[in-house]
Structures are given as C-alpha cells and as structure tokens.
Amino acid sequence: HLPPLSFTSSSSSGSSSPGFTMKRNKEECIMRAACYDSHGGQTVRRMREDYPMPTRRKGWVLVKIMAAGVNPVDYKLCRGDVPSILVPKPKIFGGDLAGVVVECDEDSKKFKKGDKVFGMMEYKYTKWGTYAEMACVRESALARMPKNLSFPEAACLPLVTLTSIQALRRGGICEKSRGQLKGKRILIHAGSGGVGSVAIQLARHFGLYVITTCSAKNAAFAKSLGANEVVDYRAQKFEEELKNNPVDFVFDVMGADIEKRSHQIIKQTKGSA
C-alpha cells in the first residue's frame, strides 16, 4: 500500500490552487512524487520531495494532478513483473489521473489553461507517472472531465474503461453493431471489480442482457450497475447455472481455469465470442 499524497494548497508564487507546490532549487522546479529506484516490494517505494518537474513539449499538456487512480499494474511494474529495461528508474507510480491544465499548445483546439481533464499516461518506457503533483501527458491521451464527476471519480476511470471498451470491440460489441446485439447475452466475470464494473455498464449500453459473477455481498452493487443476473461464484458454478441457456459472449478478466470453463457455456454459433 502506498502512502497517500497530501497535497498542499500554496506555492512559492502565492497561488491558492490546491494540489500543487512549486519550489525553486538551482533554477529547477521540483515536486513531490511517490517513486521507486529498483524493483521489489513495499521497501523500495519512497516519497521524494525533490523530483524534477516534467518539461512540456509540443503536443503535450502539463497537468496539475488533483487525483490519481490505483491499479494492479502499478505494483506489478514495481515488483518487476516486466523486464526492468522497460521501466526506466527512478519510476513514479501510477498512470491514471484527473487534474487541471496548467499549460498546453497555444494553438490547441482541445484544451486551454484551467480546463479540468482526465486521462492515462503511458506505463512503460517512461520514468514518469501520476503519483505526483504534476504530469506531462500527450494531448491525445486526455479528455475533458464530465461535469458531474469529481476528480477522484474521474481518476478511477481511464485504464479500466479503455480495457473494457477494447475487449468488447474485439468481440464485435460496439456502437456500430448495437442494432444486432439486441437479445444477445453476455457473461461478465468479476463484475464487482474495476474492469468488470465498467464492462457491465457498457454492455447494457449496447443492449446486451448481462449476467455477471461476483460474491453474494457484492450482488446488489452489480445489479445497481445494470446486471440482469448475478451468479455467486463462491456458492455456484457458473457453467452449471448456464449450461441449459448458454451465452453469446463471455468477458473474462480472470483467465486460466475460468477461461477453460467459460468455453462450455458459449453458444456454438456465428457471432458468438
């Protein structure tokens, strides 16, 4: 578990904007950031007070981070689950973010200074991350925040939403095919998890009948997201529950044995996936 970032509400320039502290040290702007210099467990993480602030270049946006999302990939990269050469050090944790535009291209047609944005940074091949006070993000990797979302809510969305959308599209589930999906059924595993909870909402948006697996304590939550049926994976075997009424699609974030068992309840017809 990483220590929370408690951002200050002042800067050396006298700004009252929360979430950003700028200090001047030998002509260099620095910031607070949670990072690691080598792979390992909790012992390698540290909070630096003097991490150099990123320098913006054309096509990129400098963002004051107000909230950052937490995902399994954060600790997996730190643990060393990918080759070290893909993760330059010192590496700042995090990829999801929500914040306020500090600086962007003068001719940008998407953003201006002060816009509330959210998005996702690249995880590999860069030492930068979002467990920090500032981040420099590709303009194409950001979007304006919906007005009805808070910064923490927006910061939770990018990775899990992109994962869900991309997976559904690979199965042919998208806006263009919406008319052909009416009446089709999908089984979404781990419906109360980050990816699964978004996949339920997207699947319902596309007109699918949604069945999901989760524990009994999370059944009400899954149904509040739009699930039509819930299978308690601790007390029931989904392949037994669905063997007489197979589904057209399976959305699997678990793999291994779950994937093998899922093949038993997919309709063997064209268009099933």
Side-chain angles (χ1 to χ4, degrees):
H1 300 286
L2 291 172
L5 294 180
S6 54
F7 298 127
T8 65
S9 59
S10 63
S11 70
S12 60
S13 63
S15 170
S16 60
S17 300
F20 172 54
T21 303
M22 184 186 292
K23 299 178 182 178
R24 186 65 65 176
N25 180 16
K26 294 181 180 180
E27 303 305 319
E28 182 181 37
C29 291
I30 60 176
M31 64 181 182
R32 299 181 69 218
C35 59
Y36 52 95
D37 296 299
S38 60
H39 293 296
Q42 295 187 26
T43 57
V44 303
R45 75 172 192 258
R46 65 191 180 113
M47 180 69 76
R48 280 185 55 175
E49 302 282 344
D50 61 347
Y51 204 98
M53 253 182 31
T55 302
R56 193 190 73 82
R57 56 187 185 273
K58 187 169 178 59
W60 293 63
V61 180
L62 186 63
V63 179
K64 177 175 63 177
I65 298 176
M66 307 301 290
V70 180
N71 294 291
V73 66
D74 299 320
Y75 76 79
K76 290 179 179 179
L77 287 179
C78 179
R79 191 171 62 185
D81 287 13
V82 301
S84 182
I85 194 172
L86 302 181
V87 188
K89 317 291 187 309
K91 170 67 175 173
I92 299 177
F93 286 94
D96 284 351
L97 70 109
V100 178
V101 173
V102 173
E103 185 182 330
C104 59
D105 291 345
E106 290 185 2
D107 59 352
S108 174
K109 296 181 180 179
K110 291 185 65 177
F111 307 114
K112 64 181 185 301
K113 184 177 180 180
D115 283 345
K116 294 180 179 180
V117 295
F118 71 129
M120 189 180 79
M121 297 184 65
E122 297 167 347
Y123 277 92
K124 295 182 291 185
Y125 311 110
T126 177
K127 69 177 183 178
W128 302 104
T130 59
Y131 289 18
E133 294 182 286
M134 302 285 282
C136 204
V137 190
R138 292 181 188 272
E139 187 178 85
S140 60
L142 291 171
R144 290 177 183 270
M145 271 178 50
K147 293 181 179 180
N148 62 334
L149 291 184
S150 65
F151 285 113
E153 289 170 335
C156 290
L157 289 174
L159 178 61
V160 293
T161 304
L162 287 170
T163 300
S164 298
I165 289 174
Q166 290 167 3
L168 290 170
R169 283 177 177 172
R170 291 192 65 179
I173 302 171
C174 59
E175 201 67 45
K176 290 183 179 179
S177 62
R178 191 173 184 179
Q180 304 168 16
L181 296 172
K182 188 175 181 179
K184 301 254 183 203
R185 291 155 48 88
I186 185 172
L187 170 63
I188 297 175
H189 286 295
S192 61
V195 175
S197 62
V198 174
I200 289 174
Q201 298 173 74
L202 289 171
R204 283 300 303 271
H205 170 74
F206 292 129
L208 291 166
Y209 183 93
V210 177
I211 305 158
T212 191
T213 60
C214 66
S215 63
K217 69 177 182 179
N218 290 323
F221 171 65
K223 287 187 175 181
S224 74
L225 297 174
N228 300 99
E229 295 181 35
V230 174
V231 177
D232 178 4
Y233 72 90
R234 290 178 176 171
Q236 304 164 288
K237 289 187 175 182
F238 65 85
E239 66 269 34
E240 291 295 324
E241 297 297 318
L242 299 172
K243 65 181 179 180
N244 294 323
N245 193 8
V247 298
D248 300 281
F249 306 94
V250 174
F251 186 103
D252 176 25
V253 295
M254 310 296 289
D257 180 60
I258 297 295
E259 180 182 352
K260 294 178 181 178
R261 291 161 57 195
S262 295
H263 282 287
Q264 301 175 34
I265 47 88
I266 299 178
K267 291 180 180 177
Q268 300 303 310
T269 58
K270 184 178 180 181
S272 298

